[in-house]
Amino acid sequence: MSELPGVVVTGVSGRMGQMLVRAVLASDKVKLVGVVARSGNDWVGRDLGTCMGGTELGLTVSDDALETFAKAQAVLDFTTPAATVQFAELAAQARAVHVIGTTGLEESDLQKIRAAARHAVIVRAGNMSLGVNLLTKLTKQVAAALDEDWDIEIVEMHHNRKVDAPSGTALMLGEAAAEGRGVSLSEASDRGRDGITGARERGAIGFAALRGGDVVGEHEVIFATAGERITLKHIASDRALFARGALKAAIWGQDKAPGEYDMLDVLGLGD
């Protein structure tokens, strides 16, 4: 491309939105052409720079996603499921690469996102980090190598303000384990144990979600059988790594055909 791809950041007033803005502004491979906040947000109509506590950037925060996306070649979106579904349709209309880091998406949401991907590039991942995506690939490989005598448990911990559980990354790891075993996660998943639950079901993929403090993200996949355990673990200590991954995805998607991709595709780790 002769010009730098223009990027729009949604949910700009949030912690992740601001992290994405900083990543875009620091990059010499893209340019920030717009930012979006929900209608009624105090930032709407004000200069982005002053909203973030700095000097003016000459970029006004908008609540009109359709108009803002029309100027963009990529949209970075770490918001809410309802907002992301709407943004997917609008980004597809603009033929902009839609990078989705939103978690908590239901199957009905995913169906709408897949429909939008028929018209534009969508890169969706429960986690944008290189390390987590390597962990995902390893989880699938280990699950494929071990039979159901090995129990699989996925443990995750995040900060006390996270609203969904299990985390999108934990579910991504669960999907990888299920694919490795050749089963459906929806049928194998065991997400809650309380009281007299009985013995663990053979072949189940268990989840445990911990919340506390300011933990950025910790994920552990445990394969346990009689006499031995295998543990794969990833610890994120800096939220900026997710923003860097999202930016990498936005740049990678510029010359790709319409469709839904993930970070394994971006990182060249896909099957």
Side-chain angles (χ1 to χ4, degrees):
M1 298 178 66
S2 58
E3 294 186 4
L4 296 180
V7 173
V8 167
V9 174
T10 64
V12 69
S13 65
R15 179 167 48 176
M16 194 63 210
Q18 294 179 59
M19 189 73 71
L20 290 166
V21 164
R22 294 188 183 98
V24 175
L25 291 176
S27 174
D28 60 358
K29 295 181 174 61
V30 295
K31 60 182 178 181
L32 188 65
V33 296
V35 290
V36 174
R38 69 182 184 280
S39 296
N41 188 285
D42 291 341
W43 286 29
V44 175
R46 297 171 55 197
D47 185 86
L48 173 63
T50 56
C51 286
M52 291 180 61
T55 58
E56 289 192 4
L57 293 173
L59 199 62
T60 302
V61 179
S62 173
D63 60 0
D64 189 336
L66 178 60
E67 179 183 21
T68 308
F69 289 6
K71 301 178 289 187
Q73 282 74 55
V75 174
L76 306 184
D77 177 18
F78 287 63
T79 53
T80 64
T84 290
V85 168
Q86 293 180 341
F87 292 152
E89 181 179 346
L90 298 178
Q93 290 180 29
R95 299 299 188 266
V97 175
H98 187 191
V99 179
I100 300 175
T102 302
T103 58
L105 294 160
E106 302 288 345
E107 180 57 32
S108 59
D109 301 321
L110 297 177
Q111 289 176 2
K112 294 172 183 175
I113 289 170
R114 292 184 196 112
R118 292 199 293 264
H119 307 286
V121 173
I122 292 179
V123 180
R124 183 180 64 84
N127 194 299
M128 298 284 174
S129 84
L130 171 60
V132 161
N133 282 278
L134 284 170
L135 176 61
T136 301
K137 192 170 183 68
L138 289 171
T139 296
K140 181 177 178 179
Q141 291 175 335
V142 174
L146 303 175
D147 62 23
E148 290 189 348
D149 287 338
W150 290 78
D151 301 323
I152 302 176
E153 292 287 319
I154 298 170
V155 182
E156 54 100 343
M157 184 170 186
H158 285 82
H159 54 87
N160 56 23
R161 295 173 60 189
K162 187 168 179 60
V163 299
D164 59 307
S167 69
T169 301
L171 292 173
M172 185 169 72
L173 293 168
E175 289 285 0
E179 287 178 18
R181 279 219 168 139
V183 299
S184 167
L185 181 61
S186 62
E187 296 177 0
S189 177
D190 185 354
R191 300 194 190 183
R193 300 185 183 118
D194 185 26
I196 307 301
T197 61
R200 188 186 196 281
E201 184 176 346
R202 190 172 190 268
I205 298 174
F207 291 86
L210 312 180
R211 297 289 177 267
D214 62 353
V215 176
V216 173
E218 298 184 8
H219 294 86
E220 187 172 13
V221 184
I222 303 166
F223 299 86
T225 193
E228 58 183 325
R229 292 195 305 275
I230 299 171
T231 300
L232 306 175
K233 186 171 184 177
H234 178 269
I235 297 175
S237 58
D238 183 359
R239 192 175 301 275
L241 67 91
F242 306 129
R244 292 193 294 269
L247 198 55
K248 183 179 183 70
I251 295 168
W252 175 88
Q254 290 303 307
D255 60 353
K256 302 302 181 293
E260 187 175 13
Y261 303 89
D262 59 25
M263 284 302 290
L264 291 175
D265 295 313
V266 174
L267 299 168
L269 298 174
D271 295 330

